Amino acid sequence: MRRAIFPGSFDPITLGHYDIITRGITLFDELVIAIGINAEKNYMFTLEERKHFIEEAFRNQHRIK
């Protein structure tokens, strides 16, 4: 199994993030999206909101974790 990890803050998820993720799922069997937290950054959205945005954007992609 070929697995990749794509880390970022995703605050918010952008078209650039979306593009990288959609290209990544064609190259790997599984793509893990890791939402990072930077204590020195002021976020626009909470961790749960960012997670929800990503889950909704890719709800039909079984390769994304």
Side-chain angles (χ1 to χ4, degrees):
M1 173 182 273
R2 293 172 25 160
R3 182 178 296 150
I5 298 175
F6 181 38
S9 62
F10 305 104
D11 187 44
I13 188 167
T14 65
L15 292 176
H17 294 131
Y18 189 88
D19 182 54
I20 291 169
I21 292 166
T22 54
R23 284 193 279 151
I25 57 177
T26 66
L27 301 172
F28 300 97
D29 300 316
E30 183 177 277
L31 180 63
V32 177
I33 300 174
I35 304 171
I37 299 172
N38 180 344
E40 303 209 4
K41 184 175 179 181
N42 293 322
Y43 291 103
M44 208 169 13
F45 298 100
T46 67
L47 177 61
E48 287 302 315
E49 289 171 320
R50 292 180 278 152
K51 181 180 175 199
H52 178 74
F53 297 151
I54 294 168
E55 288 172 342
E56 284 300 307
F58 298 102
R59 67 178 149 201
N60 296 324
Q61 289 294 336
H62 65 279
R63 292 181 177 193
I64 295 177
K65 307 290 182 208

Short mmCIF file of all heavy atoms in Angstrom, two decimals:
data_model
loop_
_atom_site.label_atom_id
_atom_site.label_comp_id
_atom_site.label_asym_id
_atom_site.label_seq_id
_atom_site.Cartn_x
_atom_site.Cartn_y
_atom_site.Cartn_z
N MET A 1 0.85 -1.18 0.00
CA MET A 1 0.00 0.00 0.00
C MET A 1 0.88 1.24 0.00
O MET A 1 1.80 1.36 0.79
CB MET A 1 -0.91 0.01 1.22
CG MET A 1 -1.68 1.32 1.35
SD MET A 1 -2.72 1.44 2.79
CE MET A 1 -4.18 0.70 2.16
N ARG A 2 0.59 2.14 -0.90
CA ARG A 2 1.32 3.41 -0.95
C ARG A 2 0.50 4.47 -0.23
O ARG A 2 -0.65 4.74 -0.59
CB ARG A 2 1.55 3.80 -2.40
CG ARG A 2 2.48 2.85 -3.09
CD ARG A 2 2.60 3.07 -4.54
NE ARG A 2 2.29 4.43 -4.94
CZ ARG A 2 2.67 4.98 -6.07
NH1 ARG A 2 3.36 4.30 -6.92
NH2 ARG A 2 2.34 6.21 -6.37
N ARG A 3 1.10 5.06 0.79
CA ARG A 3 0.40 6.02 1.65
C ARG A 3 1.19 7.32 1.69
O ARG A 3 2.41 7.31 1.74
CB ARG A 3 0.30 5.43 3.05
CG ARG A 3 -0.45 6.30 4.02
CD ARG A 3 -0.57 5.63 5.37
NE ARG A 3 -1.36 4.42 5.24
CZ ARG A 3 -1.22 3.34 6.00
NH1 ARG A 3 -0.32 3.30 6.94
NH2 ARG A 3 -1.98 2.30 5.82
N ALA A 4 0.45 8.44 1.68
CA ALA A 4 1.08 9.76 1.78
C ALA A 4 0.41 10.55 2.89
O ALA A 4 -0.77 10.33 3.20
CB ALA A 4 0.96 10.50 0.47
N ILE A 5 1.16 11.47 3.47
CA ILE A 5 0.63 12.37 4.49
C ILE A 5 0.77 13.78 3.97
O ILE A 5 1.84 14.19 3.51
CB ILE A 5 1.40 12.22 5.83
CG1 ILE A 5 1.25 10.79 6.35
CG2 ILE A 5 0.90 13.23 6.85
CD1 ILE A 5 2.06 10.50 7.58
N PHE A 6 -0.33 14.53 4.06
CA PHE A 6 -0.33 15.93 3.63
C PHE A 6 -0.66 16.80 4.86
O PHE A 6 -1.81 16.91 5.26
CB PHE A 6 -1.35 16.14 2.53
CG PHE A 6 -1.42 17.56 2.00
CD1 PHE A 6 -0.29 18.34 1.84
CD2 PHE A 6 -2.64 18.12 1.66
CE1 PHE A 6 -0.36 19.63 1.36
CE2 PHE A 6 -2.73 19.40 1.16
CZ PHE A 6 -1.59 20.16 1.02
N PRO A 7 0.36 17.39 5.49
CA PRO A 7 0.13 18.22 6.67
C PRO A 7 -0.13 19.68 6.30
O PRO A 7 0.33 20.17 5.26
CB PRO A 7 1.44 18.08 7.44
CG PRO A 7 2.47 17.93 6.36
CD PRO A 7 1.78 17.17 5.24
N GLY A 8 -0.87 20.36 7.14
CA GLY A 8 -1.11 21.79 6.97
C GLY A 8 -2.07 22.28 8.02
O GLY A 8 -2.68 21.50 8.75
N SER A 9 -2.23 23.59 8.08
CA SER A 9 -3.20 24.14 9.04
C SER A 9 -4.60 24.22 8.41
O SER A 9 -5.60 24.17 9.10
CB SER A 9 -2.76 25.52 9.54
OG SER A 9 -2.68 26.43 8.46
N PHE A 10 -4.65 24.36 7.08
CA PHE A 10 -5.92 24.37 6.34
C PHE A 10 -6.91 25.37 6.92
O PHE A 10 -8.07 25.06 7.18
CB PHE A 10 -6.53 22.96 6.29
CG PHE A 10 -5.58 21.94 5.74
CD1 PHE A 10 -4.94 21.03 6.57
CD2 PHE A 10 -5.30 21.89 4.38
CE1 PHE A 10 -4.05 20.10 6.07
CE2 PHE A 10 -4.41 20.96 3.86
CZ PHE A 10 -3.79 20.06 4.71
N ASP A 11 -6.44 26.58 7.12
CA ASP A 11 -7.25 27.64 7.75
C ASP A 11 -7.42 28.82 6.80
O ASP A 11 -6.73 29.83 6.95
CB ASP A 11 -6.58 28.08 9.05
CG ASP A 11 -7.46 29.06 9.83
OD1 ASP A 11 -8.66 28.81 9.93
OD2 ASP A 11 -6.93 30.05 10.34
N PRO A 12 -8.33 28.72 5.88
CA PRO A 12 -9.18 27.59 5.52
C PRO A 12 -8.52 26.74 4.45
O PRO A 12 -7.44 27.08 3.95
CB PRO A 12 -10.42 28.26 4.95
CG PRO A 12 -9.87 29.48 4.28
CD PRO A 12 -8.72 29.94 5.16
N ILE A 13 -9.18 25.65 4.08
CA ILE A 13 -8.69 24.85 2.96
C ILE A 13 -8.85 25.70 1.70
O ILE A 13 -9.88 26.34 1.50
CB ILE A 13 -9.43 23.50 2.86
CG1 ILE A 13 -8.77 22.62 1.81
CG2 ILE A 13 -10.91 23.66 2.66
CD1 ILE A 13 -9.21 21.18 1.82
N THR A 14 -7.81 25.74 0.89
CA THR A 14 -7.82 26.60 -0.30
C THR A 14 -7.92 25.75 -1.57
O THR A 14 -7.83 24.52 -1.52
CB THR A 14 -6.53 27.43 -0.38
OG1 THR A 14 -5.42 26.53 -0.56
CG2 THR A 14 -6.33 28.27 0.89
N LEU A 15 -8.07 26.43 -2.70
CA LEU A 15 -8.08 25.72 -3.98
C LEU A 15 -6.75 25.03 -4.23
O LEU A 15 -6.69 23.96 -4.83
CB LEU A 15 -8.42 26.67 -5.12
CG LEU A 15 -9.85 27.22 -5.12
CD1 LEU A 15 -10.02 28.24 -6.24
CD2 LEU A 15 -10.86 26.10 -5.25
N GLY A 16 -5.67 25.63 -3.76
CA GLY A 16 -4.35 25.01 -3.88
C GLY A 16 -4.27 23.71 -3.09
O GLY A 16 -3.75 22.71 -3.58
N HIS A 17 -4.78 23.72 -1.85
CA HIS A 17 -4.83 22.50 -1.05
C HIS A 17 -5.67 21.44 -1.77
O HIS A 17 -5.27 20.28 -1.88
CB HIS A 17 -5.48 22.74 0.32
CG HIS A 17 -4.74 23.64 1.23
ND1 HIS A 17 -5.34 24.68 1.89
CD2 HIS A 17 -3.44 23.65 1.63
CE1 HIS A 17 -4.46 25.29 2.65
NE2 HIS A 17 -3.29 24.68 2.50
N TYR A 18 -6.83 21.87 -2.24
CA TYR A 18 -7.76 20.96 -2.91
C TYR A 18 -7.09 20.32 -4.13
O TYR A 18 -7.21 19.12 -4.36
CB TYR A 18 -9.02 21.71 -3.31
CG TYR A 18 -10.13 20.83 -3.81
CD1 TYR A 18 -11.05 20.27 -2.92
CD2 TYR A 18 -10.27 20.54 -5.16
CE1 TYR A 18 -12.06 19.44 -3.37
CE2 TYR A 18 -11.28 19.72 -5.62
CZ TYR A 18 -12.17 19.17 -4.73
OH TYR A 18 -13.17 18.35 -5.18
N ASP A 19 -6.36 21.12 -4.88
CA ASP A 19 -5.66 20.62 -6.07
C ASP A 19 -4.61 19.58 -5.71
O ASP A 19 -4.53 18.52 -6.34
CB ASP A 19 -5.03 21.78 -6.82
CG ASP A 19 -4.33 21.35 -8.10
OD1 ASP A 19 -4.99 20.69 -8.93
OD2 ASP A 19 -3.15 21.65 -8.27
N ILE A 20 -3.82 19.85 -4.70
CA ILE A 20 -2.78 18.91 -4.27
C ILE A 20 -3.41 17.60 -3.79
O ILE A 20 -2.94 16.51 -4.12
CB ILE A 20 -1.90 19.52 -3.16
CG1 ILE A 20 -1.05 20.65 -3.74
CG2 ILE A 20 -1.03 18.46 -2.48
CD1 ILE A 20 -0.36 21.50 -2.72
N ILE A 21 -4.50 17.71 -3.04
CA ILE A 21 -5.17 16.52 -2.52
C ILE A 21 -5.77 15.69 -3.66
O ILE A 21 -5.59 14.46 -3.70
CB ILE A 21 -6.25 16.90 -1.49
CG1 ILE A 21 -5.57 17.48 -0.24
CG2 ILE A 21 -7.12 15.71 -1.13
CD1 ILE A 21 -6.52 18.22 0.71
N THR A 22 -6.45 16.33 -4.60
CA THR A 22 -7.06 15.57 -5.70
C THR A 22 -6.00 14.93 -6.59
O THR A 22 -6.21 13.83 -7.09
CB THR A 22 -8.02 16.44 -6.54
OG1 THR A 22 -7.35 17.61 -7.00
CG2 THR A 22 -9.25 16.82 -5.74
N ARG A 23 -4.87 15.58 -6.76
CA ARG A 23 -3.78 14.95 -7.52
C ARG A 23 -3.15 13.82 -6.72
O ARG A 23 -2.76 12.80 -7.28
CB ARG A 23 -2.74 15.98 -7.93
CG ARG A 23 -3.23 16.84 -9.08
CD ARG A 23 -2.14 17.65 -9.70
NE ARG A 23 -1.91 18.85 -8.91
CZ ARG A 23 -0.75 19.47 -8.82
NH1 ARG A 23 0.30 19.00 -9.47
NH2 ARG A 23 -0.62 20.56 -8.11
N GLY A 24 -3.05 14.01 -5.42
CA GLY A 24 -2.44 13.00 -4.55
C GLY A 24 -3.22 11.69 -4.52
O GLY A 24 -2.62 10.61 -4.47
N ILE A 25 -4.54 11.78 -4.57
CA ILE A 25 -5.31 10.54 -4.49
C ILE A 25 -5.21 9.71 -5.76
O ILE A 25 -5.55 8.54 -5.76
CB ILE A 25 -6.79 10.78 -4.10
CG1 ILE A 25 -7.48 11.72 -5.07
CG2 ILE A 25 -6.90 11.28 -2.68
CD1 ILE A 25 -8.95 11.94 -4.79
N THR A 26 -4.71 10.30 -6.83
CA THR A 26 -4.48 9.50 -8.04
C THR A 26 -3.13 8.79 -7.98
O THR A 26 -2.90 7.84 -8.72
CB THR A 26 -4.54 10.38 -9.31
OG1 THR A 26 -3.46 11.31 -9.30
CG2 THR A 26 -5.86 11.12 -9.42
N LEU A 27 -2.26 9.25 -7.08
CA LEU A 27 -0.90 8.68 -6.99
C LEU A 27 -0.73 7.67 -5.86
O LEU A 27 0.18 6.86 -5.89
CB LEU A 27 0.12 9.81 -6.79
CG LEU A 27 0.17 10.87 -7.89
CD1 LEU A 27 1.07 12.01 -7.46
CD2 LEU A 27 0.66 10.25 -9.19
N PHE A 28 -1.60 7.77 -4.85
CA PHE A 28 -1.44 6.95 -3.64
C PHE A 28 -2.71 6.17 -3.35
O PHE A 28 -3.81 6.58 -3.70
CB PHE A 28 -1.08 7.84 -2.44
CG PHE A 28 0.20 8.58 -2.63
CD1 PHE A 28 0.20 9.90 -3.07
CD2 PHE A 28 1.42 7.96 -2.39
CE1 PHE A 28 1.39 10.58 -3.26
CE2 PHE A 28 2.62 8.64 -2.58
CZ PHE A 28 2.60 9.95 -3.01
N ASP A 29 -2.54 5.06 -2.64
CA ASP A 29 -3.69 4.26 -2.22
C ASP A 29 -4.44 4.92 -1.08
O ASP A 29 -5.65 4.75 -0.94
CB ASP A 29 -3.22 2.88 -1.75
CG ASP A 29 -2.50 2.12 -2.85
OD1 ASP A 29 -3.00 2.13 -4.00
OD2 ASP A 29 -1.44 1.55 -2.57
N GLU A 30 -3.72 5.67 -0.25
CA GLU A 30 -4.33 6.36 0.88
C GLU A 30 -3.61 7.69 1.09
O GLU A 30 -2.39 7.75 1.03
CB GLU A 30 -4.22 5.50 2.14
CG GLU A 30 -4.88 6.11 3.35
CD GLU A 30 -4.80 5.18 4.55
OE1 GLU A 30 -5.64 4.27 4.64
OE2 GLU A 30 -3.88 5.36 5.37
N LEU A 31 -4.38 8.72 1.33
CA LEU A 31 -3.83 10.04 1.60
C LEU A 31 -4.35 10.51 2.96
O LEU A 31 -5.55 10.66 3.15
CB LEU A 31 -4.24 11.03 0.52
CG LEU A 31 -3.73 12.46 0.66
CD1 LEU A 31 -2.20 12.49 0.59
CD2 LEU A 31 -4.30 13.34 -0.44
N VAL A 32 -3.44 10.68 3.89
CA VAL A 32 -3.80 11.13 5.24
C VAL A 32 -3.62 12.64 5.29
O VAL A 32 -2.54 13.15 5.03
CB VAL A 32 -2.91 10.45 6.31
CG1 VAL A 32 -3.24 10.98 7.69
CG2 VAL A 32 -3.04 8.94 6.24
N ILE A 33 -4.69 13.34 5.63
CA ILE A 33 -4.63 14.79 5.78
C ILE A 33 -4.45 15.07 7.26
O ILE A 33 -5.31 14.74 8.08
CB ILE A 33 -5.89 15.47 5.23
CG1 ILE A 33 -6.04 15.14 3.74
CG2 ILE A 33 -5.82 16.98 5.46
CD1 ILE A 33 -7.32 15.65 3.12
N ALA A 34 -3.31 15.67 7.60
CA ALA A 34 -2.97 15.95 9.00
C ALA A 34 -3.14 17.45 9.25
O ALA A 34 -2.42 18.27 8.68
CB ALA A 34 -1.54 15.52 9.28
N ILE A 35 -4.09 17.78 10.10
CA ILE A 35 -4.35 19.19 10.42
C ILE A 35 -3.47 19.58 11.60
O ILE A 35 -3.62 19.06 12.70
CB ILE A 35 -5.83 19.42 10.77
CG1 ILE A 35 -6.72 18.93 9.63
CG2 ILE A 35 -6.08 20.90 11.07
CD1 ILE A 35 -8.19 18.92 9.96
N GLY A 36 -2.54 20.48 11.34
CA GLY A 36 -1.60 20.91 12.36
C GLY A 36 -2.10 22.09 13.17
O GLY A 36 -2.99 22.83 12.75
N ILE A 37 -1.51 22.24 14.33
CA ILE A 37 -1.83 23.37 15.22
C ILE A 37 -0.53 24.09 15.55
O ILE A 37 0.42 23.48 16.03
CB ILE A 37 -2.51 22.90 16.51
CG1 ILE A 37 -3.84 22.20 16.18
CG2 ILE A 37 -2.75 24.08 17.46
CD1 ILE A 37 -4.49 21.55 17.36
N ASN A 38 -0.51 25.38 15.26
CA ASN A 38 0.64 26.23 15.58
C ASN A 38 0.20 27.17 16.70
O ASN A 38 -0.66 28.02 16.51
CB ASN A 38 1.05 27.02 14.33
CG ASN A 38 2.23 27.92 14.57
OD1 ASN A 38 2.60 28.21 15.70
ND2 ASN A 38 2.83 28.38 13.49
N ALA A 39 0.81 27.02 17.87
CA ALA A 39 0.41 27.81 19.04
C ALA A 39 0.61 29.31 18.83
O ALA A 39 -0.02 30.12 19.50
CB ALA A 39 1.19 27.35 20.27
N GLU A 40 1.45 29.69 17.88
CA GLU A 40 1.72 31.10 17.65
C GLU A 40 0.84 31.72 16.57
O GLU A 40 0.95 32.90 16.28
CB GLU A 40 3.20 31.26 17.29
CG GLU A 40 4.07 30.68 18.38
CD GLU A 40 5.40 31.36 18.47
OE1 GLU A 40 5.65 32.33 17.75
OE2 GLU A 40 6.20 30.90 19.29
N LYS A 41 -0.04 30.94 16.00
CA LYS A 41 -0.90 31.42 14.93
C LYS A 41 -2.31 31.66 15.45
O LYS A 41 -2.84 30.87 16.23
CB LYS A 41 -0.92 30.39 13.79
CG LYS A 41 -1.71 30.83 12.59
CD LYS A 41 -1.58 29.80 11.46
CE LYS A 41 -2.39 30.23 10.26
NZ LYS A 41 -2.30 29.25 9.17
N ASN A 42 -2.92 32.75 15.02
CA ASN A 42 -4.32 33.01 15.34
C ASN A 42 -5.17 32.46 14.19
O ASN A 42 -5.08 32.94 13.07
CB ASN A 42 -4.58 34.51 15.50
CG ASN A 42 -3.88 35.07 16.71
OD1 ASN A 42 -3.82 34.42 17.74
ND2 ASN A 42 -3.34 36.26 16.58
N TYR A 43 -5.99 31.48 14.50
CA TYR A 43 -6.78 30.82 13.47
C TYR A 43 -8.11 31.51 13.25
O TYR A 43 -8.71 32.03 14.18
CB TYR A 43 -7.01 29.35 13.84
CG TYR A 43 -5.75 28.53 13.78
CD1 TYR A 43 -5.07 28.17 14.93
CD2 TYR A 43 -5.24 28.14 12.56
CE1 TYR A 43 -3.90 27.43 14.87
CE2 TYR A 43 -4.07 27.40 12.48
CZ TYR A 43 -3.41 27.05 13.64
OH TYR A 43 -2.25 26.32 13.58
N MET A 44 -8.56 31.46 12.00
CA MET A 44 -9.86 31.99 11.63
C MET A 44 -10.96 30.99 12.01
O MET A 44 -12.06 31.38 12.39
CB MET A 44 -9.88 32.24 10.11
CG MET A 44 -10.78 33.32 9.70
SD MET A 44 -10.62 33.86 7.95
CE MET A 44 -9.64 32.66 7.12
N PHE A 45 -10.64 29.70 11.89
CA PHE A 45 -11.61 28.63 12.16
C PHE A 45 -11.05 27.68 13.22
O PHE A 45 -9.84 27.49 13.30
CB PHE A 45 -11.92 27.84 10.88
CG PHE A 45 -12.53 28.68 9.80
CD1 PHE A 45 -11.77 29.16 8.75
CD2 PHE A 45 -13.88 29.01 9.84
CE1 PHE A 45 -12.32 29.93 7.75
CE2 PHE A 45 -14.45 29.79 8.85
CZ PHE A 45 -13.67 30.26 7.80
N THR A 46 -11.94 27.06 13.98
CA THR A 46 -11.51 26.10 14.99
C THR A 46 -11.03 24.82 14.30
O THR A 46 -11.30 24.59 13.12
CB THR A 46 -12.67 25.73 15.95
OG1 THR A 46 -13.67 25.00 15.21
CG2 THR A 46 -13.27 26.95 16.60
N LEU A 47 -10.35 23.98 15.05
CA LEU A 47 -9.88 22.71 14.54
C LEU A 47 -11.06 21.87 14.03
O LEU A 47 -10.99 21.28 12.95
CB LEU A 47 -9.11 21.94 15.62
CG LEU A 47 -8.63 20.55 15.25
CD1 LEU A 47 -7.67 20.60 14.07
CD2 LEU A 47 -7.98 19.88 16.45
N GLU A 48 -12.12 21.83 14.78
CA GLU A 48 -13.30 21.06 14.38
C GLU A 48 -13.92 21.60 13.09
O GLU A 48 -14.35 20.82 12.24
CB GLU A 48 -14.35 21.03 15.50
CG GLU A 48 -13.97 20.14 16.65
CD GLU A 48 -13.73 18.69 16.23
OE1 GLU A 48 -14.53 18.14 15.45
OE2 GLU A 48 -12.72 18.11 16.67
N GLU A 49 -13.96 22.92 12.95
CA GLU A 49 -14.49 23.50 11.71
C GLU A 49 -13.62 23.15 10.52
O GLU A 49 -14.12 22.78 9.45
CB GLU A 49 -14.61 25.02 11.84
CG GLU A 49 -15.71 25.47 12.77
CD GLU A 49 -15.67 26.96 13.04
OE1 GLU A 49 -14.57 27.52 13.21
OE2 GLU A 49 -16.76 27.56 13.09
N ARG A 50 -12.30 23.24 10.68
CA ARG A 50 -11.38 22.91 9.60
C ARG A 50 -11.51 21.44 9.21
O ARG A 50 -11.52 21.10 8.02
CB ARG A 50 -9.95 23.25 9.99
CG ARG A 50 -9.75 24.76 10.11
CD ARG A 50 -8.35 25.13 10.49
NE ARG A 50 -8.20 25.00 11.93
CZ ARG A 50 -7.06 24.72 12.54
NH1 ARG A 50 -5.96 24.52 11.87
NH2 ARG A 50 -7.01 24.65 13.85
N LYS A 51 -11.63 20.58 10.20
CA LYS A 51 -11.82 19.15 9.93
C LYS A 51 -13.12 18.92 9.17
O LYS A 51 -13.16 18.16 8.20
CB LYS A 51 -11.82 18.38 11.25
CG LYS A 51 -11.99 16.90 11.08
CD LYS A 51 -12.00 16.19 12.42
CE LYS A 51 -12.28 14.72 12.20
NZ LYS A 51 -12.73 14.05 13.41
N HIS A 52 -14.17 19.59 9.58
CA HIS A 52 -15.47 19.46 8.92
C HIS A 52 -15.40 19.92 7.46
O HIS A 52 -15.96 19.25 6.57
CB HIS A 52 -16.53 20.26 9.69
CG HIS A 52 -17.88 20.22 9.06
ND1 HIS A 52 -18.69 19.12 9.10
CD2 HIS A 52 -18.55 21.15 8.34
CE1 HIS A 52 -19.80 19.37 8.44
NE2 HIS A 52 -19.75 20.60 7.97
N PHE A 53 -14.74 21.03 7.20
CA PHE A 53 -14.60 21.53 5.83
C PHE A 53 -13.93 20.48 4.93
O PHE A 53 -14.35 20.25 3.80
CB PHE A 53 -13.78 22.82 5.78
CG PHE A 53 -14.39 23.99 6.50
CD1 PHE A 53 -13.57 24.97 7.05
CD2 PHE A 53 -15.75 24.14 6.64
CE1 PHE A 53 -14.10 26.07 7.71
CE2 PHE A 53 -16.30 25.23 7.30
CZ PHE A 53 -15.47 26.20 7.83
N ILE A 54 -12.87 19.88 5.45
CA ILE A 54 -12.13 18.87 4.67
C ILE A 54 -12.99 17.63 4.46
O ILE A 54 -13.06 17.09 3.35
CB ILE A 54 -10.80 18.53 5.36
CG1 ILE A 54 -9.88 19.75 5.33
CG2 ILE A 54 -10.13 17.32 4.70
CD1 ILE A 54 -8.67 19.63 6.23
N GLU A 55 -13.66 17.18 5.52
CA GLU A 55 -14.52 16.00 5.39
C GLU A 55 -15.63 16.23 4.37
O GLU A 55 -15.94 15.33 3.58
CB GLU A 55 -15.13 15.64 6.75
CG GLU A 55 -14.14 15.06 7.71
CD GLU A 55 -14.67 14.88 9.11
OE1 GLU A 55 -15.70 15.49 9.47
OE2 GLU A 55 -14.04 14.12 9.87
N GLU A 56 -16.22 17.40 4.36
CA GLU A 56 -17.29 17.71 3.41
C GLU A 56 -16.75 17.80 1.98
O GLU A 56 -17.39 17.32 1.05
CB GLU A 56 -18.00 19.00 3.79
CG GLU A 56 -18.94 18.86 4.96
CD GLU A 56 -20.05 17.86 4.68
OE1 GLU A 56 -20.74 18.00 3.65
OE2 GLU A 56 -20.21 16.93 5.48
N ALA A 57 -15.60 18.40 1.82
CA ALA A 57 -15.04 18.56 0.48
C ALA A 57 -14.68 17.22 -0.16
O ALA A 57 -14.74 17.08 -1.38
CB ALA A 57 -13.79 19.45 0.54
N PHE A 58 -14.34 16.23 0.67
CA PHE A 58 -13.88 14.94 0.15
C PHE A 58 -14.72 13.77 0.68
O PHE A 58 -14.23 12.66 0.79
CB PHE A 58 -12.40 14.74 0.51
CG PHE A 58 -11.52 15.78 -0.11
CD1 PHE A 58 -11.04 16.85 0.65
CD2 PHE A 58 -11.19 15.72 -1.46
CE1 PHE A 58 -10.25 17.82 0.08
CE2 PHE A 58 -10.40 16.69 -2.03
CZ PHE A 58 -9.93 17.75 -1.27
N ARG A 59 -15.98 14.00 0.95
CA ARG A 59 -16.82 12.96 1.56
C ARG A 59 -16.98 11.72 0.68
O ARG A 59 -17.24 10.65 1.19
CB ARG A 59 -18.16 13.51 1.97
CG ARG A 59 -19.03 13.93 0.83
CD ARG A 59 -20.36 14.43 1.28
NE ARG A 59 -20.79 15.43 0.30
CZ ARG A 59 -21.66 16.34 0.52
NH1 ARG A 59 -22.23 16.40 1.69
NH2 ARG A 59 -21.98 17.20 -0.41
N ASN A 60 -16.81 11.84 -0.61
CA ASN A 60 -16.97 10.69 -1.52
C ASN A 60 -15.65 10.02 -1.87
O ASN A 60 -15.63 9.13 -2.72
CB ASN A 60 -17.70 11.12 -2.79
CG ASN A 60 -19.10 11.59 -2.50
OD1 ASN A 60 -19.77 11.05 -1.63
ND2 ASN A 60 -19.55 12.60 -3.21
N GLN A 61 -14.57 10.44 -1.26
CA GLN A 61 -13.25 9.88 -1.55
C GLN A 61 -12.85 8.92 -0.43
O GLN A 61 -12.47 9.35 0.66
CB GLN A 61 -12.20 10.99 -1.68
CG GLN A 61 -12.34 11.81 -2.92
CD GLN A 61 -12.07 10.98 -4.18
OE1 GLN A 61 -11.38 9.97 -4.14
NE2 GLN A 61 -12.61 11.44 -5.28
N HIS A 62 -12.94 7.63 -0.71
CA HIS A 62 -12.63 6.64 0.33
C HIS A 62 -11.13 6.52 0.61
O HIS A 62 -10.74 5.94 1.60
CB HIS A 62 -13.20 5.28 -0.08
CG HIS A 62 -12.57 4.70 -1.30
ND1 HIS A 62 -12.94 5.09 -2.57
CD2 HIS A 62 -11.58 3.79 -1.44
CE1 HIS A 62 -12.22 4.43 -3.45
NE2 HIS A 62 -11.38 3.65 -2.80
N ARG A 63 -10.29 7.08 -0.24
CA ARG A 63 -8.84 6.99 -0.04
C ARG A 63 -8.31 8.04 0.94
O ARG A 63 -7.16 7.98 1.35
CB ARG A 63 -8.11 7.18 -1.37
CG ARG A 63 -8.33 6.07 -2.33
CD ARG A 63 -7.56 6.34 -3.59
NE ARG A 63 -7.69 5.22 -4.50
CZ ARG A 63 -6.96 5.07 -5.56
NH1 ARG A 63 -6.03 5.94 -5.87
NH2 ARG A 63 -7.13 4.04 -6.36
N ILE A 64 -9.13 9.00 1.31
CA ILE A 64 -8.68 10.09 2.18
C ILE A 64 -9.06 9.78 3.62
O ILE A 64 -10.20 9.44 3.93
CB ILE A 64 -9.27 11.43 1.73
CG1 ILE A 64 -8.72 11.78 0.35
CG2 ILE A 64 -8.95 12.53 2.74
CD1 ILE A 64 -9.28 13.04 -0.24
N LYS A 65 -8.07 9.92 4.49
CA LYS A 65 -8.27 9.69 5.93
C LYS A 65 -7.96 10.96 6.68
O LYS A 65 -7.12 11.73 6.30
CB LYS A 65 -7.36 8.56 6.44
CG LYS A 65 -7.47 7.27 5.69
CD LYS A 65 -8.79 6.62 5.93
CE LYS A 65 -8.85 5.28 5.20
NZ LYS A 65 -10.14 4.87 4.81
#
